[in-house]
């Protein structure tokens, strides 16, 4: 059957209001059922006690006196009632009393159950009112006003704990949204700058009617070099996105082997930097591609952001059961307050680079993301004489 135009097929008819199985309704029914069960149990115990009176609680009525009128016996012979007749009359009276007690108690139980359900509905509504307020406030918060908080008042109960937890989640979301905005803006700028440069170079070359083959070749080389830098940046951004998504596989690796491979692939122009190594076995479980990128970025960053005749120290080993990679380098003096910002995307400092190549400011952010994906602890310390001491401790590997 096709739905009417303008109304979804699964939309209930306005005349049929569907009962919502809310927490308030469930609590109300729970209160009513518990009260009914406890009342029925009490009624059953009372009825059993009246039916089977314990010997120690039984009360026997006294022997009834002979009927008299004004202190004189009634005329005529009055045969005394036999004990069997008296017991029969008492048994019939007890049965009538029990039936009356059972009927009256049942009516009272039904009435009190209705009253308890109503009181349960009111009590559940009052108890859940703060939750409805939190839900309405949370529903009104959007991506445009993540600075708002619930800030629930009242004692430190479960509801306030829930509100405080949600406020902490909003703090993380606000930080993530702000970081995403900065990342998009910086990435757009970093990609737009080389594109503008390439277009300018091509326009100048095409505007010159007397351009020789050598000039055009030089222009092509400039565009090719700029394109290569864009490819490097895009590859770094893809690696960053992949590491933030999480790990698809884990392979047994050795940080010492990866560090040695990264050092072997260094540019020969970095020979002005003195490299010291102490590569001990450091087995870990991780993604080979990401770990290789992490080690290569750290080594490249330590060499790139250095000074003439500087030094780079690369050490691997197991420290306190944690496989550890530690890289120290000389360089410009960095303020301790600037260290955390170095691991944000597109954050660069004005330092002397021995290789003469300018980075994009993405390398250390990729390192931080890869370390987080592997549950590794990353710490960085600004050295007093300049440079950084970066230490990454991976989870213990058996």
């Amino acid at each position: 059957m096709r739905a009417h135009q303008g109304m979804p097929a699964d939309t209930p008819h306005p005349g049929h209001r569907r009962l919502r199985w809310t927490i308030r309704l469930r609590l109300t029914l729970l209160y009513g059922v518990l009260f009914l069960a406890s009342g029925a149990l009490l009624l059953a115990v009372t009825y059993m006690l009246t039916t089977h009176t314990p010997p120690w609680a039984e009360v026997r009525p006294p022997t009834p006196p002979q009927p008299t009128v004004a202190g004189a016996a009634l005329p005529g012979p009055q045969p005394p009632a036999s004990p069997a007749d008296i017991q029969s009359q008492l048994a019939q009276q007890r049965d009538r009393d029990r039936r009356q007690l059972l009927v009256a108690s049942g009516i009272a139980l039904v009435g009190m159950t209705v009253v308890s359900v109503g009181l349960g509905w009111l009590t559940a509504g009052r108890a859940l009112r703060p939750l409805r307020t939190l839900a309405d406030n949370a529903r009104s918060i959007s991506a445009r006003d993540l600075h708002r908080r619930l800030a629930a008042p009242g004692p430190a109960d479960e509801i306030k704990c829930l509100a405080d937890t949600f406020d902490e989640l909003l703090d993380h979301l606000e930080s993530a949204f702000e970081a995403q905005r900065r990342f998009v803006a910086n990435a757009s700028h970093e990609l737009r700058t080389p594109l503008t440069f390439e277009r300018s170079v091509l326009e100048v070359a095409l505007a010159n009617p007397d351009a020789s083959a050598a000039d055009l070749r030089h222009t092509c080389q400039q565009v090719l070099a700029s394109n290569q830098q864009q490819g490097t940046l895009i590859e770094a951004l893809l690696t960053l996105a992949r590491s933030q998504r999480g790990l698809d596989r884990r392979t047994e690796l050795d940080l010492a082997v990866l560090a040695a491979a990264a050092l072997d692939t260094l540019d020969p122009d970095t020979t002005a930097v003195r490299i010291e190594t102490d590569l001990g076995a450091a087995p870990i479980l991780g993604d080979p591609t990401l770990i290789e990128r992490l080690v290569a970025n750290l080594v490249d960053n330590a060499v790139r952001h250095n000074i003439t005749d500087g030094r780079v120290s690369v050490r691997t080993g197991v420290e306190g059961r944690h496989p550890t990679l530690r890289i120290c380098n000389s360089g410009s003096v960095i303020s301790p307050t600037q260290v955390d910002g170095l691991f944000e995307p597109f954050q660069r400092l004005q330092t002397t680079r021995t290789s003469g190549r300018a980075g994009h400011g993405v390398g250390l952010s990729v390192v931080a993301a890869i370390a987080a994906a592997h549950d590794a602890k990353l710490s960085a310390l600004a050295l007093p004489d300049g440079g950084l001491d970066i230490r990454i401790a991976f989870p213990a590997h058996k």
Side-chain angles (χ1 to χ4, degrees):
M1 181 179 296
R2 181 172 298 179
H4 294 287
Q5 186 175 2
M7 179 179 294
D10 55 351
T11 301
H13 193 273
H16 298 83
R17 186 176 179 180
R18 187 177 181 181
L19 181 65
R20 295 179 57 195
W21 192 248
T22 60
I23 296 180
R24 183 179 183 181
L25 179 58
R26 283 181 285 177
L27 288 177
T28 301
L29 294 179
L30 178 62
Y31 295 155
V33 170
L34 290 178
F35 182 85
L36 181 61
S38 60
L41 179 62
L42 178 62
L43 180 59
V45 172
T46 304
Y47 185 78
M48 290 181 62
L49 289 178
T50 58
T51 305
H52 305 285
T53 305
W56 50 266
E58 183 177 6
V59 178
R60 296 181 178 275
T63 302
Q66 292 292 334
T68 61
V69 177
L74 294 175
Q78 298 292 334
S82 65
D85 294 337
I86 296 175
Q87 292 296 331
S88 176
Q89 294 175 3
L90 292 176
Q92 294 176 2
Q93 182 65 33
R94 283 197 297 267
D95 290 340
R96 288 193 298 269
D97 293 341
R98 282 195 293 266
R99 285 195 296 270
Q100 293 177 358
L101 175 64
L102 184 61
V103 172
S105 301
I107 296 174
L109 178 60
V110 172
M112 290 304 299
T113 300
V114 174
V115 173
S116 68
V117 169
L119 293 177
W121 177 263
L122 296 177
T123 304
R126 184 174 182 83
L128 296 176
R129 185 181 303 167
L131 286 179
R132 290 198 300 270
T133 302
L134 294 180
D136 293 338
N137 294 337
R139 193 178 297 112
S140 64
I141 297 176
S142 63
R144 296 183 178 180
D145 53 357
L146 285 176
H147 60 279
R148 293 176 51 191
R149 296 295 180 268
L150 299 181
D157 54 6
E158 291 81 0
I159 295 179
K160 182 171 176 57
C161 179
L162 176 63
D164 294 342
T165 303
F166 191 81
D167 285 342
E168 294 177 0
L169 176 62
L170 288 177
D171 290 336
H172 294 303
L173 285 177
E174 184 180 15
S175 301
F177 270 75
E178 186 62 29
Q180 183 185 25
R181 293 189 187 99
R182 292 198 306 267
F183 177 83
V184 172
N186 293 330
S188 301
H189 174 74
E190 292 291 335
L191 292 173
R192 184 174 61 248
T193 300
L195 289 175
T196 303
F197 168 75
E198 293 173 3
R199 184 176 60 185
S200 300
V201 171
L202 292 176
E203 288 177 349
V204 170
L206 294 176
N208 185 9
D210 299 329
S212 61
D215 295 334
L216 295 177
R217 181 179 181 83
H218 178 69
T219 300
C220 292
Q221 290 175 347
Q222 287 181 304
V223 173
L224 184 60
S226 177
N227 184 264
Q228 184 177 3
Q229 292 181 359
Q230 293 180 64
T232 303
L233 174 60
I234 293 175
E235 182 182 357
L237 294 178
L238 291 176
T239 304
L240 178 61
R242 177 186 173 189
S243 57
Q244 291 176 340
R245 187 180 67 245
L247 300 181
D248 297 330
R249 57 172 180 162
R250 290 180 182 267
T251 306
E252 187 170 354
L253 306 169
D254 192 343
L255 292 176
V257 176
L258 298 178
L263 293 173
D264 291 339
T265 58
L266 282 177
D267 194 328
D269 295 338
T270 62
T271 53
V273 177
R274 186 175 68 259
I275 298 178
E276 303 172 356
T277 60
D278 183 10
L279 305 180
I284 65 170
L285 285 178
D287 187 289
T289 303
L290 294 180
I291 295 297
E292 289 176 4
R293 173 62 63 180
L294 178 143
V295 177
N297 282 8
L298 285 177
V299 172
D300 181 74
N301 184 81
V303 173
R304 183 195 305 270
H305 299 273
N306 217 308
I307 57 177
T308 306
D309 297 329
R311 62 176 182 82
V312 173
S313 174
V314 181
R315 291 183 173 86
T316 60
V318 179
E319 300 179 5
R321 298 184 58 191
H322 292 280
T324 304
L325 171 65
R326 187 171 183 177
I327 297 181
C328 304
N329 71 315
S330 57
S332 301
V333 177
I334 302 174
S335 173
T337 59
Q338 296 177 308
V339 174
D340 292 338
L342 294 177
F343 293 91
E344 296 292 332
F346 305 106
Q347 297 297 317
R348 290 188 293 258
L349 297 176
Q350 297 297 327
T351 58
T352 302
R353 297 170 175 82
T354 56
S355 62
R357 294 180 293 133
H360 297 286
V362 186
L364 290 183
S365 63
V366 171
V367 169
I370 295 176
H374 288 79
D375 298 324
K377 182 179 179 181
L378 186 150
S379 59
L381 177 65
L383 300 177
D385 297 333
L388 286 174
D389 181 0
I390 299 178
R391 179 177 178 272
I392 301 180
F394 289 84
H397 172 53
K398 296 181 181 181

